[in-house]
Amino acid sequence: NDVFIVPPPPVESFRTELYFTEPNGFRRVADGAIAVYGAGNNAAVDANDAREINNWDENIAIARDGKHLAIESRPVIGKADDLPIFMNNMKKQPYEFEFTPSVFTNTNLKAELVDNYLGTRTLLSVTQPTVVSFTITDDAASKATDRFKVVFGAFGSAQGVDAITIKASQT
């Protein structure tokens, strides 16, 4: 009798990890959260979600319905969704987010990181990891718990422009 074990299919997910670089140059992961998308999942916070356990130092989580989640189960993204990122206990220093998507089934989906403090939107890949740097400064707003969110949808203009950077200089 032959026995075949079929591995489960890869999970559609979007992982967010927070990193900082130590004085010796070592890139350290401070915290992380993941959204897992599936046909049987719902958008409500329920027993399929896992609450964040606060660290002594930096924390990130998915903020949903007044709760902070380390793992959130969500329905597969149809047209749009968002992941509000909660953060606290941040230090005055540079950080990096590393966003790692896995097996997104909606091939038209795009993702952007919204930075409410800087008023910027950064295009994120839904097929490859993307690293986005940011800095916590003396300005209290730079470490606001709701500074960031990831927004999923069909962005861009009619001309198909994904991102525009405008620089101005005084002449």
Side-chain angles (χ1 to χ4, degrees), residues 2-169:
D2 291 333
V3 176
F4 294 98
I5 298 175
V6 178
V11 176
E12 187 169 334
S13 65
F14 195 82
R15 179 180 302 275
T16 303
E17 292 177 302
L18 176 70
Y19 288 88
F20 65 91
T21 301
E22 294 181 340
N24 66 4
F26 180 76
R27 185 176 184 243
R28 178 171 302 279
V29 64
D31 202 5
I34 188 169
V36 178
Y37 301 93
N41 298 344
N42 67 58
V45 175
D46 60 19
N48 293 319
D49 304 310
R51 291 227 184 151
E52 167 77 357
I53 298 172
N54 274 336
N55 301 315
W56 291 106
D57 293 317
E58 298 92 345
N59 292 286
I60 63 168
I62 299 166
R64 189 79 64 197
D65 299 334
K67 310 227 176 6
H68 302 145
L69 306 173
I71 303 170
E72 183 179 27
S73 295
R74 310 266 311 149
V76 172
I77 302 171
K79 292 185 178 184
D81 199 11
D82 69 345
L83 292 175
I85 300 173
F86 166 84
M87 66 180 193
N88 73 350
N89 294 341
M90 305 299 283
K91 297 179 178 81
K92 187 177 123 180
Q93 67 182 19
Y95 288 95
E96 292 178 332
F97 280 128
E98 185 166 314
F99 300 100
T100 306
S102 176
V103 199
F104 273 94
T105 54
N106 183 345
T107 57
N108 296 318
L109 193 64
K110 293 189 180 180
E112 288 183 329
L113 176 67
V114 176
D115 183 336
N116 293 315
Y117 171 65
L118 295 179
T120 59
R121 296 174 77 98
T122 304
L123 190 64
L124 306 174
S125 174
V126 293
T127 59
Q128 301 293 321
T130 306
V131 175
V132 178
S133 301
F134 68 98
T135 301
I136 301 299
T137 66
D138 286 327
D139 187 341
S142 73
K143 63 180 178 179
T145 60
D146 63 348
R147 175 176 172 176
F148 297 102
K149 73 177 171 181
V150 176
V151 179
F152 297 95
F155 308 118
S157 67
Q159 292 84 17
V161 176
D162 287 329
I164 298 174
T165 302
I166 300 172
K167 293 185 179 182
S169 60

